Structures are given as structure tokens and as C-alpha cells.
Amino acid sequence: MVRVRLKDVTKRFGSVVAVECVDLEIEKGEFFFLLGPSGCGKTTLLRTVAGFYRPERGRVFFDDRDVTEVPPEKRNTGMVFQNYALWPHMTVWQNVAYGLSMRNIAPDKRTERIRQALQMVRMEAYRDRSPNQLSGGQQQRVALARALVIEPDVVLLDEPLSNLDARLRLEMREQIQALHRSLGITMIYVTHDQKEALAMAGRVAVMQAGRVVQSGSPRTLYSQPANRFVADFIGEINLISGKVVLLDDEIGVETPVGVLYGRPGYDDIRKDDQVLCAIRPEAMEFLAGRPGEADHVVTGTVRNAIYLGETEQYVVDLPDGTRVKLADSHPLVQRAFPGDRVSIRFARDAITILRDEGENAA
Ligand code: ATP
């Protein structure tokens, strides 16, 4: 396995800048995710690591080796695609064997490696089937075996679970994670599904319009998003706009619902900055009893309640027209109804103060 480094990588297609000035370091054995909306450049970046694209600017390193000019077949990467890309006229066994065919490996060793790869993904019993006799999940497991059989230094996965139904996706998530744990191999995984990234990743880079806007652990990205785009893309977020009026241990923001205190989400925060107080819906709850000292309380009117099974989501209009969402987990009963006046509490440390970059930034 290798450490993968991208230094100032830019990749264009004609006038389209697909990837711009990307710097990333992916550690040996890391399970690293590239996350972002459609068209943000994730696949282009992954294919640049694989060697299918040569960047116009910047370098790609595997450990200390500069591989920018090295062709894909000499990089020892295993690829897994959304559409599996199996050969329909070959059996499962032959598909996995194909991954080895380019390499000079003795026939007896080959057999052993194919057997092991199929065993890893629990597909030995299907070795003589052709891909069209397999379910989507089974096909993807064969594709994984084909990527792993070459004993790659890094495995690159491009939306590998997107073609599977919701339940199978969850199952495959666990299988891929378990494989990563047992092999300890460097993996880079592309997805637009933030839940997948949060659930599986060691670290995530969030991309927007060709650039990496934030990278960090799932927990950091979720609880301390660097800007509105990341906050919005990774789960739901309430944004209350205001102006910085106090700079101290805590930051005070004057908003239409009173002064809110929170922690800074960017470095050079100044007095009078126009900002957004970002609060996750699950960090808000209906006030029962007296609020704590570090609590904020706002009142509003329930507009709507949506039952989602694991949570119940309440949409609440605050007096100034700001609309917020409150998520009540484990909702055994509905706690408020449209038209009800409610008080909502949330802790100061649940607020991240973000620069207000305007609507277009989201
Ligand atoms: P998706 O999730 O939809 O696959 P993505 O984040 O992987 O999106 P890319 O496929 O990397 O995005 O595309 C980034 C940008 O580059 C897009 O604007 C896309 O239209 C453009 N692009 C990608 N491949 C090519 C190509 N071969 N020729 C021209 N433009 C391309």
C-alpha cells in the first residue's frame, strides 16, 4: 500500500476546469472519501490518481515516487466502477482471472490468488456463473475481487454502490469496510452520498466546482463545517443570519431572534461581519422545564411536522420569518401540531458561526 499525494493538481477538458488546484495527502492504509455533488470533479480526480488522465498542472505521488507520467497499468491500482464493468461472456472466475492476465504470475499462484480474492468477497460458490446470473450486489463483489486480486497498492472506487437498492447498499457498506479493516489497504472512494461518506470514511474531502473546500473526519465535517456549502451538503442545517457584535471567548451575533453566542467557523472573524449561525436540527429541542445557563431559547409557530420513523421533523417559523427545522429523535408521539406556539432550546456550543457568502455559495 502507498501514501497518495496530490500537489496542486488541475485538470481541464477544453474550457471546462474539472479539477482546480487540488492538494491532498492520503495516508497509507487510509479509507479516504471524495464527496460532492454531481459534476464537482470527483471522478476526474480519481481517474487522475489512476493515471487515465494527465493533469495540465500539478503532480501525483505514490509515496515519494512521482507517478504523474506513469501509465495506469504501471501504477498498481485496482478500480471498482459504479456499473461493475464485468465481462458478460466470462464466468466469475474468468473475470477475476482477467485482473491478473497482464501480469507475469505463475499459473499455480494465479489460481490461489483468484481463490483467495473470491473468498474475501464470499463469492467462491459462484465461480462458474456468468455475471448475468448474479444480483447487483454479487456483481459488485466480483468487481471488488477483480480489483483486489492484483494486490494493488491503492484501491479506487467510483460510486460502487449507486446501482444497488437501499438495503443492499447498507450491507455492502459493511462488507467493504470489513475488507478495508482486514486488508489495511489505501482506499479512495468517490460518492455523492453524504450518508455513505459519514458512515464509512476515515477522512473525507468535500469538493465543490473542482476544488476541495474542506477535508477532515466525518465528525469534524458534520460538527464544524467550514462554510455554508459543506454545512448544507452534509446533512440538514438551520441558518440564522446576523452581524457579529461581540468578539470574546465566545462570539456574539445579533440576529432577528436575539443575540446568539457560538464558536467561530472561520479564522479571521471580525466585528460587524455578516454571518450565519449554523445549528443542526437534532441540536434543537422543545423546551421542557427551565433552560440551562448555556442555552438559547427562541419561540415560534409550528408550520409542519413530518414523521420519518427514526425522527420526527418539525418545521417552525420564528417571528422574523426565519424557518428552522427541529429533529426529534425516537418520536414515540407527535409533540407539537401545526399552529402551536413552541419554545425551542439549543446549546451555545451547538452553534457554528459561518461567513455569510450569500445564497450562491450554497
Ligand atoms: P458525477 O457524480 O456526476 O459523476 P463528478 O463529480 O464525478 O460528477 P466529473 O465527472 O469529474 O464530476 O466531471 C467534472 C466536470 O468535468 C463536469 O463539468 C464534467 O462535465 C466535465 N467532464 C468530465 N469528463 C469530461 C470529458 N471527458 N470531457 C469533457 N468534460 C468532462
Side-chain angles (χ1 to χ4, degrees), residues 52-94:
F52 297 122
Y53 295 145
R54 192 178 169 282
E56 272 76 36
R57 212 177 69 197
R59 314 301 299 172
V60 180
F61 295 89
F62 284 4
D63 289 333
D64 291 328
R65 177 172 163 237
D66 185 340
V67 295
T68 318
E69 314 292 334
V70 175
E73 66 278 8
K74 299 233 165 82
R75 292 198 187 188
N76 203 29
T77 61
M79 286 281 295
V80 180
F81 302 94
Q82 176 177 349
N83 60 3
Y84 326 130
L86 299 176
W87 298 106
H89 57 286
M90 292 183 188
T91 63
V92 164
W93 182 274
Q94 288 164 338

Side-chain angles (χ1 to χ4, degrees), residues 13 16-18 36-45 53 159 190 192:
F13 297 104
V16 177
V17 185
S38 181
C40 72
K42 311 177 292 290
T43 295
T44 303
L45 198 56
Y53 295 145
E159 305 261 10
V190 160
H192 63 268

Side-chain angles (χ1 to χ4, degrees), residues 45 50 98 159 175 228 261 305 324 332 356:
L45 198 56
Y98 186 80
E159 305 261 10
Q175 289 183 16
R228 178 183 188 150
Y261 298 88
V324 295
L332 293 175
D356 189 353

Side-chain angles (χ1 to χ4, degrees), residues 176-195:
I176 295 176
Q177 270 183 308
L179 263 178
H180 175 259
R181 270 197 303 272
S182 67
L183 299 174
I185 205 166
T186 314
M187 286 191 177
I188 309 178
Y189 188 118
V190 160
T191 184
H192 63 268
D193 180 340
Q194 79 280 9
K195 287 211 169 119

